[in-house]
Amino acid sequence: MTAAMETDRALVERVAKGDRAAVRLLFLRHHARIYRFVARQTGSEMMADDIANEVFLELWRQAPGFEGRSEVSTWLLGIARFKALSLLRRKKEDWIDDEAAAAVPDSADTPEIVTMKEDKSTALRRFIDALPHEHRVVIDLAYYQGQSVTEIGEVLDIPVATVKTRMFYARKKLGEALKAAGYDRGWP
């Protein structure tokens, strides 16, 4: 067990006893990571800010029930994911469906022009955003949040084998997209 994990767990124990300073310390450690994760999942900075703050209110409420089966950061990301999905489901009726979106004319530059304008990391981010949600969230948790396959399974509440399968197909799609855009290496 690492010192950081012990420290976070100790802080959760203090939160469970009503220690507001412990909530503030956990907020300082994890707010930015949760905010970025939710912003990428929802596409809305305002929504991400609201949800990230709600996560710490939920931490205050749920701390007595924290069983320590995962890292505190994994637990908080799981809460954030649940809150983001709940909010997105409520807003879904306002969104355009996939068929309607496909019918909208694409006024963007051709792939060749886009890749000439953007560097590889910007192009990669665009390709990640185009992945199906279940692939995008696995890539985000692994490469932007630094979560292990086991932790991703815990956050998403899916088996490790499913995480590995989604990661495989996401990498494959990203490699194909990068190759089609003219990059020599399919996966950095």
Side-chain angles (χ1 to χ4, degrees):
M1 188 181 311
T2 65
M5 190 166 59
E6 291 171 345
T7 303
D8 282 350
R9 287 178 186 219
L11 288 172
V12 171
E13 288 175 16
R14 286 175 44 196
V15 171
K17 295 174 184 172
D19 187 341
R20 293 177 187 265
V23 173
R24 283 192 291 277
L25 286 171
L26 286 167
F27 181 89
L28 291 171
R29 287 183 188 173
H30 299 285
H31 181 268
R33 170 188 251 185
I34 291 168
Y35 171 85
R36 287 190 303 267
F37 172 69
V38 175
R40 282 191 289 270
Q41 298 312 305
T42 62
S44 168
E45 291 181 10
M46 190 165 75
M47 197 181 298
D49 193 41
D50 290 343
I51 290 172
N53 290 328
E54 285 180 30
V55 166
F56 290 94
L57 289 174
E58 207 58 41
L59 163 67
W60 179 258
R61 289 185 203 115
Q62 292 186 24
F66 179 66
E67 297 175 1
R69 289 182 290 182
S70 64
E71 289 189 41
V72 172
S73 61
T74 302
W75 180 54
L76 294 174
L77 285 169
I79 293 170
R81 177 184 170 269
F82 175 78
K83 290 195 167 292
L85 287 175
S86 295
L87 189 58
L88 290 172
R89 281 187 194 112
R90 287 194 302 265
K91 294 193 172 272
K92 193 171 185 173
E93 64 271 5
D94 295 338
W95 289 20
I96 188 169
D97 63 35
D98 289 343
E99 290 179 12
V104 173
D106 184 7
S107 61
D109 292 330
T110 66
E112 294 79 19
I113 294 171
V114 171
T115 55
M116 289 182 347
K117 291 180 181 176
E118 299 176 33
D119 61 34
K120 189 172 185 177
S121 66
T122 302
L124 182 59
R125 183 72 241 177
R126 191 180 75 246
F127 296 144
I128 290 169
D129 290 342
L131 289 172
H133 177 74
E134 66 268 3
H135 294 160
R136 187 174 61 242
V137 72
V138 168
I139 292 290
D140 185 64
L141 286 168
Y143 295 101
Y144 292 95
Q145 302 301 323
Q147 299 289 297
S148 70
V149 171
T150 303
E151 291 170 328
I152 294 169
E154 290 173 12
V155 169
L156 300 178
D157 195 27
I158 59 176
V160 169
T162 303
V163 173
K164 290 178 181 178
T165 300
R166 289 180 183 178
M167 185 69 71
F168 172 80
Y169 285 109
R171 287 177 177 163
K172 182 178 177 186
K173 288 178 183 179
L174 288 172
E176 291 168 357
L178 285 167
K179 186 175 180 182
Y183 291 103
D184 294 332
R185 292 178 60 200
W187 188 254

